[in-house]
Amino acid sequence: MSANDGAAWPEQLAVRVAWCYYMLGLTQAQVAERLEIPRMRVNRLLAQARERGLVSISIHSRLTENIELEEQLCERFGLVRAHVALAEPPIADREDPALAELLGRVAAPIVEKLIVPGMVIGVGWGNTLRALANAMVARPTGSEVSVISMVGSLNRRSSIDAYEASTPFAQKLGAECFYLAVPLICDSAESRQAIVSQPAIVEMMERARHADLAMLSVGGPATGTVAQTGLVEADELAELQAAGAVGNFLGHYIDADARVVDHPVNDRVVGLRPEELAGVGHRVMVSGGPLKLAGLRAVLQAGLASELVTDQDSARRLLSP
């Protein structure tokens, strides 16, 4: 059986690989031998088949505890829906990229079901939302759906854009993307004011305030994405925590009541303020982990999320006295 399929997406070969692996129960090595292709290519085609929606994997089991946790989260925080995922034991002293990836994969099919023609989708920033976007199945919607950044991103360090989520989100949907091509944190309050006064930015921010759907996440006060990228200095982080910051939300450092902390750093942020989410139709929060717990609880208690995707350990902690 020939494996010479050219440079284009080899859908026929991918179907054969998926059939042999999932339906016939062959190992990847056996599939590679049968189809006369390298084992690494089998692995890659299986991954691409899932990403393109050729293969859909469902686990038809719901742990009783998770169902109870979801119901309790909805009751405690006034959520429309909650989704609790199984996860490995959390890492207590640092951000866990594996958890961000897991929550992104769990949230992807949930979010896909919420998207309808004509929808405006606002997207935040960070590892978890980027993972969500990457995990979504490509489903072109054309001009029927538009995606808009709810926070800035661009900075002199190109690596910072690795955390920008609106662009890959729009690419998966084939949607129009309104990318906020300005710094998330400016070098001064005056620079921020000059940027947000521009007519194009004013229009984009107004659209974001009235989005139909928002994709949100929370960062830890000193270990979240904003801190990891060096946008805020160590002494500023210490000052923010001393002033009561418990997390970072939409680029702003917030206190235990989800209010923006009074500190010069917050005066330099380009992005929606937490209270401006009131005009957004549906707000999906995807977040978890011990270091994000205080910020996540603050956002939930303030009613800034209507749907939650989190892990089992975080759910238990959120519900503890």
Side-chain angles (χ1 to χ4, degrees):
M1 193 174 294
S2 174
N4 184 16
D5 47 76
W9 160 241
E11 183 172 354
Q12 184 173 350
L13 179 60
V15 170
R16 289 175 176 170
V17 168
W19 182 267
C20 290
Y21 185 73
Y22 291 109
M23 302 304 290
L24 301 184
L26 302 182
T27 65
Q28 291 189 20
Q30 290 170 329
V31 175
E33 182 178 0
R34 175 176 288 204
L35 301 184
E36 299 177 2
I37 58 176
R39 181 176 176 179
M40 286 297 295
R41 191 169 192 205
V42 169
N43 183 276
R44 185 169 62 253
L45 286 172
L46 287 171
Q48 291 172 343
R50 291 192 297 271
E51 291 172 0
R52 291 170 176 259
L54 194 68
V55 172
S56 177
I57 300 173
S58 299
I59 300 175
H60 300 288
S61 176
R62 297 291 305 281
L63 295 180
T64 301
E65 182 188 4
N66 280 19
I67 295 174
E68 293 174 350
L69 288 172
E70 290 168 356
E71 292 174 351
Q72 291 170 21
L73 286 167
C74 288
E75 183 177 355
R76 173 76 62 89
F77 299 110
L79 300 168
V80 175
R81 283 179 296 272
H83 313 268
V84 176
L86 289 171
E88 294 297 318
I91 300 173
D93 60 347
R94 59 186 174 88
E95 296 286 354
D96 185 356
L99 180 58
E101 290 290 331
L102 170 67
L103 293 178
R105 291 196 300 271
V106 171
I110 295 167
V111 172
E112 289 166 358
K113 293 177 182 177
L114 297 174
I115 299 171
V116 297
M119 179 173 274
V120 176
I121 304 170
V123 181
W125 198 69
N127 276 326
T128 307
L129 295 183
R130 182 85 177 196
L132 189 163
N134 290 337
M136 289 178 60
V137 174
R139 181 166 65 91
T141 59
S143 59
E144 293 182 342
V145 171
S146 57
V147 175
I148 186 164
S149 300
M150 304 186 86
V151 295
S153 180
L154 282 180
N155 194 273
R156 64 183 180 273
R157 291 173 56 189
S158 61
S159 61
I160 289 174
D161 283 339
Y163 303 98
E164 194 273 320
S166 58
T167 300
F169 199 95
Q171 289 172 342
K172 284 295 179 77
L173 296 174
E176 186 175 14
C177 184
F178 294 87
Y179 176 60
L180 202 56
V182 297
L184 172 61
I185 299 182
C186 300
D187 56 4
S188 68
E190 292 74 20
S191 296
R192 176 202 175 272
Q193 187 56 41
I195 288 172
V196 300
S197 299
Q198 297 298 312
I201 303 300
V202 171
E203 181 181 353
M204 283 186 62
M205 297 299 283
E206 185 63 17
R207 287 174 64 92
R209 290 186 191 97
H210 296 91
D212 301 296
L213 173 66
M215 307 310 309
L216 307 168
S217 191
V218 173
T223 57
T225 304
V226 174
Q228 291 174 6
T229 54
L231 290 174
V232 180
E233 301 295 333
D235 59 340
E236 293 175 319
L237 289 171
E239 292 172 1
L240 282 159
Q241 289 182 278
V246 299
N248 185 280
F249 183 50
L250 292 173
H252 295 86
Y253 284 88
I254 59 171
D255 64 17
D257 295 315
R259 295 176 301 198
V260 175
V261 172
D262 184 12
H263 188 277
V265 166
N266 280 329
D267 296 332
R268 293 157 41 204
V269 176
V270 178
L272 289 192
R273 290 173 64 91
E275 64 268 20
E276 293 182 290
L277 288 171
V280 176
H282 191 61
R283 304 171 300 279
V284 181
M285 169 61 63
V286 186
S287 192
L291 299 180
K292 299 183 179 183
L293 197 66
L296 180 56
R297 179 181 283 111
V299 169
L300 294 175
Q301 288 178 335
L304 298 177
S306 48
E307 187 162 356
L308 171 66
V309 180
T310 193
D311 62 285
Q312 194 177 64
D313 181 74
S314 296
R316 293 185 188 124
R317 291 170 183 247
L318 285 168
L319 293 167
S320 65

